Amino acid sequence: MRHTIFLFLACLATTLAFTTTLPPTFAHRPTPTTTLFASDSDKEGGAAIAKPKVGVETKQTTRQRQKSAQKQKAKSSEPVSRRDEDFQDAPMFKVMLIGDESYDQAHVVERLCEIMDDMDENQAAIVYRQAQQGGKAMCGKYPLEHAEMYKEQLVRSDPLIYSDVEDENK
């Protein structure tokens, strides 16, 4: 019995939830209506959009462009360069390997080949021998930033490899 009552109340609640009629407390109250368009008897307009009393006249004038004679420049055989292409090469610096009797030739040659991309084992061995005989030898010429980077990488090797950066014109 309870089940039937419960089912009835659920159906009643569902039906009331989806009905469009309002309870008497919320009954529809009439609202005053306004006319949106002016009637023929209402000449002044009222609430509707009124026509302007003043007439507006628009004039449209068009002008034709006259062709003007253009001056022609004499054509030259070579194009005119608008930029001066005076590029200066970056100053070059020498990376110098400083000779030391404590160096191991295999280690120095290996590190020179790893750090400097443009050097092979034969060139590295020649640079090592020149540094040992003359006190220092040139590994290559590079822009300042590259030369300083190569020097730092050589100095950070373990065991230490002494190197220096010199100006190309020295």
Side-chain angles (χ1 to χ4, degrees):
M1 178 76 178
R2 288 183 183 172
H3 191 282
T4 317
I5 294 173
F6 178 72
L7 185 62
F8 175 73
L9 288 175
C11 290
L12 181 65
T14 305
T15 307
L16 289 175
F18 290 104
T19 57
T20 58
T21 58
L22 295 174
T25 56
F26 298 110
H28 181 69
R29 295 183 183 135
T31 57
T33 59
T34 59
T35 57
L36 294 178
F37 300 103
S39 62
D40 292 336
S41 63
D42 189 12
K43 302 278 185 194
E44 296 298 318
I49 299 172
K51 295 180 182 179
K53 294 181 180 179
V54 179
V56 179
E57 185 177 319
T58 56
K59 270 189 183 178
Q60 185 175 6
T61 58
T62 56
R63 295 182 186 169
Q64 291 183 349
R65 293 186 179 181
Q66 296 177 351
K67 292 184 179 180
S68 61
Q70 295 181 356
K71 296 179 183 178
Q72 293 183 354
K73 295 181 180 179
K75 293 182 180 179
S76 64
S77 60
E78 295 181 21
V80 177
S81 176
R82 296 185 192 266
R83 294 184 185 170
D84 293 332
E85 295 186 12
D86 293 333
F87 292 109
Q88 294 179 355
D89 291 330
M92 302 299 275
F93 292 85
K94 295 187 248 181
V95 176
M96 304 298 288
L97 176 66
I98 299 173
D100 189 9
E101 293 178 6
S102 65
Y103 287 155
D104 176 32
Q105 181 176 357
H107 170 69
V108 173
V109 169
E110 179 185 344
R111 291 299 295 159
L112 285 174
C113 292
E114 286 177 5
I115 293 171
M116 298 182 182
D117 297 330
D118 58 346
M119 187 174 288
D120 62 4
E121 288 183 9
N122 292 333
Q123 290 174 330
I126 293 170
V127 168
Y128 172 79
R129 277 187 243 115
Q130 288 174 350
Q132 294 296 24
Q133 291 172 357
K136 63 181 175 179
M138 183 180 74
C139 298
K141 292 181 183 179
Y142 305 99
L144 179 63
E145 291 82 14
H146 292 194
E148 288 177 342
M149 178 187 67
Y150 292 148
K151 175 190 167 199
E152 287 296 318
Q153 287 178 346
L154 287 170
V155 169
R156 291 180 183 180
S157 297
D158 187 34
L160 183 71
I161 300 174
Y162 296 105
S163 60
D164 193 16
V165 175
E166 293 180 0
D167 192 8
E168 178 185 30
N169 299 327
K170 274 188 172 180

